[in-house]
Amino acid sequence: MIWEVFRQEKAGEYHTHCGNVHAPDREMAKQFAAVQHGRRKPTNSLWVVPQEEVGEIDGEDVAFGGTTDKSYRWATAYNTTGADAREVVESEDEQATAEKQRGDD
C-alpha cells in the first residue's frame, strides 16, 4: 500500500507534500515516513495518508478564485502616467504650498 507523506518544518507553517512510502499498515507507514522524510530536514510533524484517500479538485471541477473581476484591487490596473496622475501631483504641490504659507511645517 502507498502512503503519501506531508511534512511541516515549523509549528504554524503549512504541511507540504514531500513524497510517499510503501507500507502494509498505518503504523509501519508512520515509522517509514519518520525515517525517510523526518530526518533529512528540520521537521515539526508529518501527516501520513493512504494514497487512495487523497482527493483532487482541479479547474475543470470548480472555478477557483471566483468569477468576479477584481483587477481594480491591484495597483497595476491603474494608469499612473496620464492627466489624472499629473492632477494628483499638482494637488499635492498646492497642499504643500498652502501648508508653508500657514506655517504648518
Side-chain angles (χ1 to χ4, degrees):
M1 181 174 201
I2 299 174
W3 300 77
E4 298 299 327
V5 182
F6 299 84
R7 187 177 71 82
Q8 179 188 49
E9 188 170 321
K10 296 178 184 173
E13 291 185 353
Y14 292 109
H15 283 76
T16 57
H17 185 258
C18 62
N20 58 42
V21 293
H22 296 259
D25 59 37
R26 183 176 308 277
E27 288 307 311
M28 288 296 294
K30 288 165 65 176
Q31 289 180 10
F32 290 162
V35 169
Q36 293 178 17
H37 301 287
R39 290 191 197 177
R40 295 179 184 168
K41 296 180 180 177
T43 302
N44 182 61
S45 72
L46 295 173
W47 288 349
V48 181
V49 184
Q51 188 177 48
E52 65 269 6
E53 294 297 320
V54 176
E56 178 184 5
I57 301 171
D58 62 19
E60 293 179 11
D61 298 328
V62 67
F64 292 109
T67 57
T68 305
D69 178 19
K70 297 182 181 173
S71 60
Y72 64 88
R73 292 185 176 185
W74 300 300
T76 58
Y78 295 104
N79 181 2
T80 59
T81 58
D84 293 337
R86 283 190 299 274
E87 183 180 337
V88 169
V89 171
E90 290 170 4
S91 176
E92 288 174 346
D93 291 343
E94 289 173 7
Q95 183 66 31
T97 302
E99 287 175 0
K100 285 182 183 178
Q101 289 175 350
R102 287 193 310 261
D104 293 346
D105 291 351

